Amino acid sequence: MTKMQFANRLQPLQANVFADMDRAKSLAVSAGKELIDLSLGSSDLPVDNHIIDAIAKSLDDPSTHGYLLFRGTQEFRQAAAQWYEQKFSIKVDPETEVLPLIGSQEGTAHLPLAILNPGDFALLLDPGYPSHAGGVYLASGQIYPMPLKAENNFLPVLTDIPASVLAQSRMMVLSYPHNPTNAIAPLSFFQEAVAFCQKHNIVLVHDFPYVDLVFTQDETFNPKSKIQNLKSSVPSILQADPEKSVSIEFFTLSKSYNMGGFRIGYAIGNARLIQALRQVKATVDFNQYLGILNGAIAALTGNQDGVKKSVAIFRQRRDAFINALHSIGWNVPTPEATMYIWAKLPEPWSNNSIKFCTELVKETGVAASPGAGFGPAGEGYVRFALVQEPAILETAVSRIAEFINSSV
């Protein structure tokens, strides 16, 4: 048999805690356990009818069935720019400052190919979303982790980054509201980060999937568009960099509009960064089916009641899960955003989140994500995704209580 040689860049991609958890879930089901899966942040809520109708209508239109080049995405880019301007009051040029993406994860994974040369550093949050690291590895870059600690409100301390690392750094990736810690960054921190990146000639990337999943949203009404809108109560990185001097921001319709399976997102930001990412994408893929973009246009420009409903549902689930945890003596802070609970593990599991999660699903059928899977600074925590109805979440906590009591 011929011996195949593979690229060294695959080596850091082999260790995958979430693949290990998938195997643990399969073993639990095979053993007859009833699975309550709280490990994956994939919304279980339905897509609104007006979005589905726009996609369905496109299916009967043969002009939507071919390849979709950049010019054909103009209406979507205009809708994204309008959505952003309504939400953050910053003007966006849909021709040069907006780019459709196959989900925001595609953008965060491909952008390092446009920025990093082999050996360059990317400054990443620790814990952070795994695809941020994956994109850096594919670009043969190095990662400098910025630890997030509770005593710092899960914000990185930029002044802790060594000068030798900064000299080789080309990009910083932030993401707030944050997965997995639920932290919200104030505009003042974004202003600090922008000034820091400007000083050190670093591209500032902000992954922003949870822009709407915030439980302190202010409801507003735009009389010009006659569309009910949710004005964001969390800042955009571009509010700290309105000239878009060093910044690019990634959005997705997966969370706000429950469209995870449709794989649609977009980037807004510095025109040169948008053009560079577009060059990478042109080598890798065409755009999605136009019908999906038509659905996304309907989502961004249509009635936003579905977004408000989703936020209310996740708030109810958050409260049910937190109350249940408190009732068993697990005092976890109540998050103000995202669809997750980030819980500090009790003894004897405080330094072994992987074992906690694998044993938990094995014994109870409750699946969660180990904090270590998001980076070394995530050790000692576990993330629960609120992707079940309140009654099921309460059942999960009852099983968790039995498991913890049996292991003490």
Side-chain angles (χ1 to χ4, degrees), residues 69-299:
L69 302 181
F70 183 77
R71 181 172 56 85
T73 69
Q74 182 181 41
E75 187 177 352
F76 170 76
R77 287 183 279 113
Q78 290 172 339
Q82 174 187 316
W83 175 92
Y84 183 86
E85 289 173 12
Q86 288 179 343
K87 217 167 192 67
F88 298 107
S89 302
I90 293 177
K91 295 295 273 186
V92 175
D93 184 347
E95 293 301 315
T96 63
E97 297 178 338
V98 182
L99 185 69
L101 298 171
I102 306 173
S104 63
Q105 180 167 325
E106 184 246 322
T108 58
H110 279 157
L111 185 63
L113 294 171
I115 297 175
L116 301 178
N117 287 315
D120 287 343
F121 271 104
L123 310 173
L124 304 187
L125 301 179
D126 175 18
Y129 192 61
S131 79
H132 298 166
V136 175
Y137 289 134
L138 289 176
S140 299
Q142 300 186 74
I143 291 172
Y144 181 83
M146 300 184 292
L148 306 183
K149 300 178 181 179
E151 56 264 34
N152 297 322
N153 298 315
F154 295 109
L155 300 173
V157 180
L158 303 183
T159 53
D160 286 348
I161 303 170
S164 58
V165 171
L166 288 174
Q168 293 178 258
S169 296
R170 299 294 176 264
M171 65 185 294
M172 175 190 292
V173 182
L174 303 176
S175 184
Y176 291 94
H178 185 242
N179 173 18
T181 70
N182 313 306
I184 293 175
L187 182 59
S188 58
F189 171 75
F190 282 168
Q191 291 167 335
E192 176 190 353
V194 168
F196 185 88
C197 290
Q198 289 171 335
K199 177 181 178 180
H200 295 286
N201 297 313
I202 294 171
V203 170
L204 181 52
V205 182
H206 186 229
D207 195 10
F208 205 11
Y210 300 99
V211 54
D212 288 312
L213 279 183
V214 181
F215 305 122
T216 56
Q217 293 280 17
D218 295 322
E219 194 176 313
T220 63
F221 184 77
N222 184 329
K224 184 176 179 180
S225 66
K226 305 300 183 184
I227 294 172
Q228 203 169 25
N229 186 37
L230 290 176
K231 196 76 172 177
S232 181
S233 60
V234 290
S236 159
I237 201 70
L238 300 183
Q239 289 176 298
D241 186 14
E243 300 301 319
K244 309 178 187 76
S245 63
V246 294
S247 306
I248 186 171
E249 196 157 55
F250 293 113
F251 299 87
T252 177
L253 278 76
S254 297
K255 310 303 181 183
S256 300
Y257 302 98
N258 307 314
M259 295 180 69
F262 293 91
R263 309 311 306 134
I264 176 68
Y266 52 96
I268 290 180
N270 177 279
R272 293 173 63 196
L273 292 174
I274 292 291
Q275 177 60 26
L277 181 55
R278 182 180 168 188
Q279 287 178 268
V280 173
K281 280 183 59 63
T283 302
V284 176
D285 63 66
F286 289 104
N287 292 287
Q288 302 92 316
Y289 169 53
L290 179 57
I292 293 176
L293 267 67
N294 289 338
I297 292 167

Side-chain angles (χ1 to χ4, degrees), residues 21-65:
M21 281 304 303
D22 278 342
R23 286 189 288 271
K25 287 186 284 186
S26 296
L27 289 173
V29 172
S30 298
K33 296 294 182 182
E34 179 189 20
L35 187 68
I36 299 179
D37 194 350
L38 308 180
S39 66
L40 186 63
S42 178
S43 176
D44 60 316
L45 303 180
V47 178
D48 280 1
N49 289 335
H50 71 281
I51 300 172
I52 295 298
D53 289 344
I55 297 172
K57 184 178 179 180
S58 302
L59 294 172
D60 293 326
D61 180 1
S63 70
T64 69
H65 296 174

